[in-house]
């Protein structure tokens, strides 16, 4: 049997595919004699070139389009554009692990052009392919290529023999245990050794006997592996032994004359194959769906795990990931198994490298990868390179980024404190990692426990490793400037000072935060916490001082709580409120006015309590005319409300369950978006935004959902592909939207602005009681800058005209009088 006979039916199928899409060497320009076909060939070539240009545009816009790469490479092979073909394959390999069939096709294309000069380059190509996925066909092609084109191998030199034996020994655990195709590796190994035997001089009996024993050993190893057609292998072995002069009965399965151990091993291998035959049949069925085939592979994996042979488990895992390369669950299961069985070694880190290339969007794989590198005592340079690469990926949640940062810090801390570390690490690495994490995650994860955990860890390491108390306090002070409304952050800061025995500093933090408003009962909790702290750590006068400060605050909080409980619930969606709204004067009398300074600071918040619905969302600000009314009546407001309830009014979108989509394709239609969310469901309406001037889509849309549950599921699809573009999905923020809309409001001629588009924030100086205290029927204006009318916002470049000489500027008192008259 020659080298080409190593290719089995699966290789022949790939050969047929190569015939349908010939290699560049097989493709030649049409002969001048074929004038009848030249026109049609030219048309086909023009059509192919047009398709190539289209695919190049698609890949330029979206380099993550796997199918476009496959089609692009197929067309380039057809047109024999070798240079572009190489570039396309290199670009695709940089983005994705290529499938075994793609590597085989690439290697065969290059091998068809091979010469003795470029053999090393093609060898590197085969090695790259085998580093992505283990494939029997690719291994056989690799070995056959060397036997044909490497002079040292087909010349059976010492170096060539050593090289091939090393490769065959690598191929056996990688592909030689493949139940249905592993025979090809063993047969190729035997044939190579047989070729060496044929070159040995028959007079050199000692060398020939040594080589015969080597071939016999390969046969024995082969017969002990549970593979398909073992009976045929046994027959071949007996025939070979007869040639060597051994007395054997070819028709019998008895191997006791050769070796009792081999006989027992062969019998066990045949039994093992019988146990796996039905599993092989299940994963080979043609009519299985992907889900069904995946389940069959998982059943096979569990069976091998119970058998307890790690090599066989790895082989079936490799076959599974070759079939399902983008299954993150499968890669996590595979790498977890390697962590438990191998614990350390290049095999584990290599598996993680492949897993993160196949599923770069899975943060858990990157986290495990960092841990595997640390267990393997990788250098700081290698670990940092993986960490930086992981941060360039897009994950489904920011918690995954947080876990990555924490894992990175964990590793730095452990290696910094380890006595066996060869490298010397500086604490600045930990500080820089924390700072990077805080800068990136704080805007994205506001008011979450994860952020508190991050900064608590940071402050703890500043104390214990950095030995920097000021640095630890700086961590908390900086964080509280951005997230001062988090009770857990203040408590963690206080706990740190208490653990250090810094009673004065802890008391100072309580004084800073006891008047703040926290969610739920947090405001009461911080007050009671201060009292408990003084009881346990302070003197009597400190306790009395805390009671003096906290008691009015608790009374104030109790009044606010009662006020909230007495506020009628907001009617459910679709039901209109029929009661007339309260007048400004009635709202003014809603709660008693406290004389304590803390109560005054809460006045604007307490005033708004009457307008808070049952869900905690602020109601619409009162109308200006209601403020100007001396009697407190709100006839205009009632009129406006009755107009809103008329049938035929346009729908008012509240953005309570609305997703905001950006980076949409200009081709996206409402039906495309609805299909995109078909797995989520709950879509009630879709609004695609268009440019007012051109009417073209702006790449933005709002999608309303029936409830928060469906909205949350929709947001989970953030960064998914729609019509070739990776879209962004976020919860709609109506307050932020109004602010931006006002800033960009439409301007009429002469840069005049439509006052109907002024945001609620711009109206706040007239509507909010934070600008002054109202007592009885009088309004007392306070503040450094008080005006009776809001300033007009002038357009950029507007020059204020000089006042008329006869006009006398009005004083603040005159402005107040003007306001009261109105």
């Amino acid at each position: 049997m020659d080298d080409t006979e190593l290719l089995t039916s699966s290789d022949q199928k790939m050969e047929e595919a190569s015939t349908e899409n010939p290699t560049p060497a097989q493709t030649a320009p049409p002969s001048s004699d074929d004038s009848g076909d030249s026109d049609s060939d030219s048309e086909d070539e023009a059509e192919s070139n047009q398709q190539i240009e289209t695919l190049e545009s698609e890949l330029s816009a979206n380099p993550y389009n796997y199918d476009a790469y496959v089609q692009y490479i197929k067309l380039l092979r057809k047109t024999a554009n070798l240079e572009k073909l190489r570039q396309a394959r290199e670009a695709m390999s940089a983005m994705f692990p290529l499938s075994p069939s793609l590597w085989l096709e690439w290697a065969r294309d290059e091998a068809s052009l091979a010469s003795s000069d470029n053999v090393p380059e093609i060898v590197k190509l085969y090695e790259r392919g085998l580093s992505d996925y283990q494939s029997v066909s690719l291994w056989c092609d690799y070995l056959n290529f060397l036997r044909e084109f490497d002079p040292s191998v087909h010349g059976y030199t010492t170096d060539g023999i050593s090289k091939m034996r090393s490769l065959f020994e690598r191929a056996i655990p990688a592909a030689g245990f493949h139940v249905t195709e592993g025979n090809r590796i063993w047969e190729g190994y035997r044939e190579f050794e047989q070729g060496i035997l044929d070159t040995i001089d028959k007079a050199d009996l000692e060398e020939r006997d040594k080589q015969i024993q080597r071939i016999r050993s390969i046969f024995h190893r082969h017969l002990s592996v549970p593979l398909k057609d073992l009976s045929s292998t046994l027959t071949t072995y007996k025939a070979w032994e007869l040639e060597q002069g051994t007395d054997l009965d070819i028709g019998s399965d008895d191997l006791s004359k050769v070796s009792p151990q081999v006989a027992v091993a062969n019998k066990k291998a045949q039994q093992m194959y019988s146990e796996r035959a039905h599993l092989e049949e299940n994963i080979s069925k043609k009519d299985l769906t992907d889900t069904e085939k995946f389940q069959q592979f998982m059943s096979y994996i569990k069976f091998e795990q119970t058998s307890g042979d790690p090599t066989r488990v790895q082989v079936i895992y490799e076959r599974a990931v070759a079939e399902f390369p983008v299954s993150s669950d499968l890669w996590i299961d595979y790498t977890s198994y390697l962590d438990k069985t191998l614990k350390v070694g290049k095999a584990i880190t290599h598996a993680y490298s492949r897993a993160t290339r196949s599923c770069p969007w899975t943060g858990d794989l990157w986290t495990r990868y960092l841990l595997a590198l640390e267990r393997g005592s990788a250098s700081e340079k290698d670990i940092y390179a993986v960490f930086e690469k992981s941060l360039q990926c897009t994950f489904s949640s920011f918690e995954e980024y947080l876990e990555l940062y924490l894992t990175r810090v964990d590793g730095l801390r452990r290696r910094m404190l380890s006595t066996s570390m060869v490298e010397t690490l500086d604490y600045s690495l930990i500080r820089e990692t924390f700072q990077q994490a805080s800068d990136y995650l704080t805007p994205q994860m506001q008011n979450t426990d994860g952020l508190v955990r991050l900064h608590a860890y940071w402050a703890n390491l500043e104390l214990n490793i950095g030995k920097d108390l000021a640095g630890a306090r700086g961590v908390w002070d900086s964080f509280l400037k951005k997230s001062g409304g988090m009770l857990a952050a203040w408590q963690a800061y206080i706990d740190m000072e208490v653990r250090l025995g810094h009673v004065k500093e802890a008391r100072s933090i309580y004084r800073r935060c006891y008047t703040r408003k926290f969610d739920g009962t947090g405001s009461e909790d911080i007050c009671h916490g201060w009292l408990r702290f003084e009881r346990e750590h302070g003197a009597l006068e400190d306790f009395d001082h805390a009671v003096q400060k906290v008691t009015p605050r608790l009374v104030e909080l109790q009044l606010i709580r009662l006020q909230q409980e007495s506020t009628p619930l907001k009617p459910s969606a679709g039901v209109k409120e029929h009661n007339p709204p309260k007048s400004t004067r009635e709202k003014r009398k809603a709660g008693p006015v406290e004389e304590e300074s803390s109560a005054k600071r809460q006045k604007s918040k307490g005033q708004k309590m009457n307008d808070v619905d049952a869900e905690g969302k602020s109601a619409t600000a009162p109308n200006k005319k209601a403020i100007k009314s001396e009697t407190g009546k709100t006839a205009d407001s009632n009129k406006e409300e009755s107009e809103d309830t008329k049938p035929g009014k346009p729908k008012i979108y509240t953005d309570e369950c609305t997703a905001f989509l950006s980076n949409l394709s200009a081709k996206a239609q409402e039906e495309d978006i609805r299909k995109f969310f078909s797995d989520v469901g709950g879509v009630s309406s879709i609004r695609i935004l268009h440019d007012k001037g051109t009417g073209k889509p702006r790449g933005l849309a709002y999608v309303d959902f029936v409830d928060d549950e469906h909205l949350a599921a929709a947001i989970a699809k953030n960064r998914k592909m729609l019509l070739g573009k990776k879209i962004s999905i976020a919860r709609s923020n109506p307050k932020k939207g109004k602010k931006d809309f006002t800033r960009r409001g439409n301007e009429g001629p002469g840069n005049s602005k439509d006052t109907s588009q002024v945001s609620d924030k711009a109206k706040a100086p007239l509507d909010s009681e934070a600008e002054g205290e109202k007592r009885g029927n009088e309004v007392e204006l306070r503040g450094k800058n008080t005006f009776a009318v809001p300033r007009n916002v002038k357009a950029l470049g507007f020059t204020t005209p000089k006042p008329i000489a006869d006009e006398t500027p009005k004083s603040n008192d005159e402005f107040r009088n003007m306001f009261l008259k109105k």
Side-chain angles (χ1 to χ4, degrees), residues 576 644-645 649-656 687 704:
K576 293 291 183 179
D644 288 340
T645 60
K649 292 284 287 182
K651 181 179 178 180
I652 299 175
Y653 297 98
T654 62
D655 290 294
E656 291 182 359
R687 309 187 296 285
D704 296 323

Side-chain angles (χ1 to χ4, degrees), residues 19 30 36 59 117 134 147 155 189 210 212 306 372 399 472 485 493 497 505 586 621 631 684 720 753 774 792:
T19 304
L59 290 172
D117 295 334
Q134 298 297 329
R147 293 182 67 179
Y189 198 179
K210 187 185 297 185
I212 288 172
T306 56
E399 283 75 10
Y493 192 2
E497 296 290 1
E505 287 75 7
E586 289 171 337
T631 61
S684 60
K720 299 295 184 182
K753 296 185 182 290
K774 303 177 182 178
N792 289 326

Side-chain angles (χ1 to χ4, degrees), residues 625-637:
K625 295 183 180 180
I627 295 179
K628 293 180 181 181
S629 173
E630 294 182 0
T631 61
K633 296 180 180 179
T634 56
D636 292 339
S637 298

Side-chain angles (χ1 to χ4, degrees), residues 76-91:
L76 291 175
R77 292 185 80 237
K78 183 179 178 181
T79 57
N81 193 332
L82 185 59
E83 194 58 35
K84 270 194 173 183
L85 180 59
R86 284 172 176 161
Q87 292 175 1
R89 282 169 165 163
E90 290 290 351

Side-chain angles (χ1 to χ4, degrees), residues 36 85 126 182 238 274 352 390 452 515 517 555 600 627 711:
L85 180 59
Y126 275 112
K238 288 182 177 181
S274 299
Y352 274 112
S390 69
V452 178
T515 57
K517 181 180 179 181
V555 172
K600 290 180 181 179
I627 295 179
L711 175 60

Side-chain angles (χ1 to χ4, degrees), residues 22 62 71 108 124 173 306 340 461 485 545 599 690 697 767 783 820:
N62 178 22
Q71 289 299 115
R108 286 180 176 177
K124 289 180 181 178
T306 56
K340 293 176 183 176
L461 294 189
H545 178 73
H690 295 77
D767 297 340
L820 294 175

